[in-house]
Amino acid sequence: MNAEFDWLTLDDDEEVLWADTPHPYSLVPSFIVGVPLSLVLVGIPLLVGSYLSHKNTNYVVTSDALYRKSGVLSRSVQRIEFDKVQDTSYSQTFLGAQFGYGSVNISTAGGSGIEMSFQNVAEPQSLQSLINERIKRRAGPETDAEGKAAVLDDILTELRAIRRAVEGDEGAAAGDDGPDEGGTDSDSDADASADALEPSDFEFDATTDER
């Protein structure tokens, strides 16, 4: 693995799709404040701290997950898998909009608020689109197929119940006209007709792309 990613542990089939550090122009506000203060030595720690934080922050998007590394004296690595991502958003400050950088925020299912933030990255809208695309790929056609199959099962259950009710009413009406000595025949016919509804009657290709 590249020395640049020596902090990153990937699975065998996992590959890096995108990697970056905070945009260089995101240091401009710190320099605007820190340079004048450096005349009285107060701004020097601010400048040094901002620079080291910038150099030691990395963001990575792989085929499976999102990674964020931070820390100057210590190291903190955060990982979120795509199937846990609930929502994404991006934002830009005034300077970010002028220089083409911003922040992409990631929220997870069951989490409270933003769980991970790629701060001050170049072209945040493009990065958000990449993340959303990977989320959809991870979901895959299986999810759509399972959802459609569940809907189909519900429809079949309702249709069977309706058919039993209708044919039951017809059987009751026929019974009023005269005694039905073979009383169980109508019930058997109703059950047989209801059970005749099979998923194949409503077959569709769950994996076919919607047009």
Side-chain angles (χ1 to χ4, degrees), residues 141-186:
E142 293 81 4
T143 302
D144 293 336
E146 291 173 359
K148 291 178 181 179
V151 172
L152 177 58
D153 288 342
D154 291 340
I155 293 174
L156 288 176
T157 300
E158 292 294 332
L159 289 175
R160 284 169 177 162
I162 292 171
R163 177 166 289 187
R164 287 191 179 97
V166 171
E167 294 186 351
D169 290 343
E170 291 177 352
D176 292 341
D177 294 338
D180 185 4
E181 296 180 356
T184 60
D185 292 342
S186 60

Side-chain angles (χ1 to χ4, degrees), residues 62-81:
T62 71
S63 53
D64 293 342
L66 305 167
Y67 295 84
R68 180 181 188 271
K69 180 186 77 76
S70 60
V72 178
L73 299 178
S74 61
R75 176 183 292 178
S76 174
V77 178
Q78 184 181 8
R79 181 180 189 270
I80 295 180
E81 295 182 359

Side-chain angles (χ1 to χ4, degrees), residues 32-50:
I32 291 176
V33 175
V35 169
L37 292 178
S38 64
L39 298 177
V40 290
L41 302 180
V42 177
I44 295 178
L46 174 63
L47 292 174
V48 172
S50 297

